[in-house]
Amino acid sequence: MKNEKYYKTKLLSVDARYEGDGWTWNSWNTIEEVIYLHESILNSPRKLLKFCRDKLEILTNDSKGKIQIDDDGYNVNIQLRSGETLFAFCYGEYI
């Protein structure tokens, strides 16, 4: 039996603002306190975006091709192509 790893995460809604050289988080709110994500979902942008569309319904099908994923080592950020973070799965505080 193989070891399967799940990550405990917190889903955040992020308000970001542009500050000259890039985006920074202005504020954030917790949408869901605990979401367990299998490593295959958390480590795959395609699977994570599908999970956000199909299971969480925080993204629409219209977002396809307009969203990117950035893992900063503490959060997996769901961003517009401009780099503006919309949502984040915070996993760093649970490691």
Side-chain angles (χ1 to χ4, degrees), residues 9-14 27-34 88 90 93-94:
T9 68
K10 181 186 325 184
L11 178 59
L12 307 174
S13 172
V14 177
S27 64
W28 59 91
N29 295 305
T30 300
I31 295 175
E32 189 70 39
E33 190 66 39
V34 177
C90 176
E93 67 187 64
Y94 301 114

Side-chain angles (χ1 to χ4, degrees), residues 7 9 37-45 48 69 71 76 89 91:
Y7 289 89
T9 68
L37 292 175
H38 189 271
E39 64 185 336
S40 68
I41 293 174
L42 194 61
N43 294 324
S44 169
L48 184 60
I69 299 292
D71 187 339
V76 174
F89 287 93
Y91 65 88

Side-chain angles (χ1 to χ4, degrees), residues 16-25 82-85:
R17 68 173 184 257
Y18 191 76
E19 292 190 347
D21 61 341
W23 290 91
T24 185
W25 289 19
S82 65
E84 177 185 3
T85 299

Side-chain angles (χ1 to χ4, degrees), residues 45-70:
R46 174 174 261 141
K47 288 180 182 179
L48 184 60
L49 291 173
K50 182 172 175 42
F51 179 79
C52 289
R53 287 185 186 101
D54 297 347
K55 302 292 184 198
L56 299 178
E57 297 180 346
I58 59 172
L59 297 174
T60 66
N61 282 333
D62 291 339
S63 68
K64 289 181 179 178
K66 300 174 186 169
I67 302 291
Q68 65 186 19
I69 299 292
D70 178 60

